[in-house]
Amino acid sequence: MRICIYGAGAIGGYLGVEFMRAGADVSLVARGAHLAAMRQNGLKLLIGDEERVVHPRCTDDPTELGEQDFVIVCLKAHSITGVIERMQPLLGQRTRIVTAVNGIPYWYFYKHGGRHEGSALESIDPGGRQWKELGPERAIGCVVYPATEIEAPGVIRHVYGNNFPLGEPSGEITPEVESLSALFAAAGMKAPVLDRIRDEIWLKLWGNVCFNPISALTHATLDVICSNPGTRALSKAIMLEAQAIAESLGVKFRVDVERRIEGARKVGAHKTSMLQDLERGRLVEIDPLITVVQEMGRMTGIATPALDAVLALVAQRTRLAGLYDGAAGVAETKSLAVA
């Protein structure tokens, strides 16, 4: 089984170390100082009280690696379109692409059924390039729950979690997804195979769609957002809008909105990924976490006034900081200016 982890940052590096320790044939695609450090010193994972070091095959040139059985994409979702051409040498007729990214993936409406079957989502896949050039038929869904961070080039720190639920878009339990799940298990992680992977995607997105932009606007941590009456109420309003959209598309939530907010509050003084990116001067993931929900609301005819307002604000805030170059929030911001 040949596996390429495309984007060997915090999550990709964590997977790379653990897969290699389990004996898998793993290659890593990375860049810059992180790649240079891995080449020189290996890739180090700090987990609990342990230091785990491996010396992976790593490169910034995928043509060196050849066709793979699995390509696990661990990039920020907004970066994927920009590397489609570079990924092509990794893709054979039987290669599967595992979307270990935040938010709604490009293949969402593949084998979905209903009137939106086969639809591409412009906010996350401009021009449908991922759909056409990567192919939805190659996709396996993956929801990423662990928290990890790059402590220094070539050094990954595991913060918490080891759960990576997997699922075919069709809901089938195929030999490919079962073999991938078995690899995660052999590497000491959990990767249950789900027959309704979209339910799990929405369960995680349910919090990201509100907590991320609110944290970017207020610089508040999860415990504060979920305890302050105003931001808690705003979070709930956005979540209920998202829930209405998801349920109209057949999604089932296994917890209610209050329990989901309480779960986030109990995480404590945690900074969301969007707030961390903002503080570090990195591009933020607005479109795959927020704009796409707005787009799906338009598709289903469900109004999203709370989400629209917060999206317009966070898009303008991050655009002015040079950390967002998408289209979200432009129309809303213009209409507010006219008013």
Side-chain angles (χ1 to χ4, degrees), residues 233-315:
L234 179 57
S235 298
K236 182 176 180 178
I238 294 171
M239 291 173 78
L240 289 174
E241 292 172 0
Q243 181 177 2
I245 294 165
E247 289 180 341
S248 78
L249 295 170
V251 170
K252 297 178 181 178
F253 289 83
R254 66 174 185 264
V255 299
D256 64 26
V257 67
E258 290 292 345
R259 183 175 170 187
R260 181 67 176 84
I261 294 172
E262 272 301 291
R265 184 187 66 79
K266 290 176 181 177
V267 171
H270 174 70
K271 293 182 180 181
T272 69
S273 60
M274 191 174 289
L275 177 55
Q276 291 180 48
D277 287 342
L278 184 66
E279 291 181 343
R280 294 170 184 172
R282 300 188 302 211
L283 288 175
V284 295
E285 289 185 292
I286 288 178
D287 293 335
L289 300 184
I290 313 166
T291 315
V292 69
V293 179
Q294 183 188 66
E295 181 179 358
M296 295 169 95
R298 304 295 188 263
M299 291 173 69
T300 56
I302 294 172
T304 55
L307 182 147
D308 294 347
V310 168
L311 174 56
L313 291 170
V314 76

Side-chain angles (χ1 to χ4, degrees), residues 4 25 61 65 127-128 272 278 282 304 315 319 332 338:
C4 175
D25 181 1
D61 182 5
L65 303 177
T272 69
L278 184 66
R282 300 188 302 211
T304 55
R319 184 177 286 111
E332 290 81 3
V338 170

Side-chain angles (χ1 to χ4, degrees), residues 77-218:
H78 56 250
S79 303
I80 297 174
T81 298
V83 300
I84 290 174
E85 291 182 8
R86 291 176 57 78
M87 289 177 65
Q88 293 305 311
L90 304 171
L91 306 179
Q93 289 188 341
R94 301 179 63 85
T95 304
R96 303 301 303 273
I97 296 174
V98 183
T99 51
V101 297
N102 278 329
I104 298 291
Y106 76 94
W107 53 262
Y108 188 86
F109 285 113
Y110 175 68
K111 294 197 174 179
H112 179 274
R115 64 192 181 100
H116 300 297
E117 171 66 36
S119 297
L121 291 158
E122 185 67 20
S123 57
I124 56 168
D125 186 16
R129 285 196 60 201
Q130 293 179 54
W131 186 282
K132 292 180 235 179
E133 297 175 49
L134 297 181
E137 71 282 355
R138 283 196 174 102
I140 292 176
C142 178
V143 181
V144 177
Y145 281 113
T148 56
E149 57 189 32
I150 298 179
E151 187 162 284
V155 181
I156 307 296
R157 180 172 293 279
H158 175 267
V159 181
Y160 64 80
N162 67 350
N163 194 21
F164 294 85
L166 302 169
E168 295 277 4
S170 65
E172 298 172 272
I173 309 299
T174 62
E176 292 91 344
V177 75
E178 285 188 314
S179 67
L180 187 62
S181 175
L183 173 60
F184 274 90
M189 294 175 278
K190 299 175 184 176
V193 178
L194 307 181
D195 59 3
R196 295 179 58 89
I197 190 63
R198 293 176 183 84
D199 291 359
E200 201 71 22
I201 288 170
W202 274 97
L203 185 63
K204 184 177 181 186
L205 179 62
W206 209 15
N208 284 338
V209 70
C210 58
F211 302 139
N212 271 272
I214 291 172
S215 70
L217 291 168
T218 64

Side-chain angles (χ1 to χ4, degrees), residues 8 28 30 33-43 54-56 58 153-154:
L28 308 181
H34 190 53
L35 174 60
M38 286 193 289
R39 283 173 165 165
Q40 183 171 348
N41 304 312
L43 178 57
V54 298
H55 295 270
C58 53

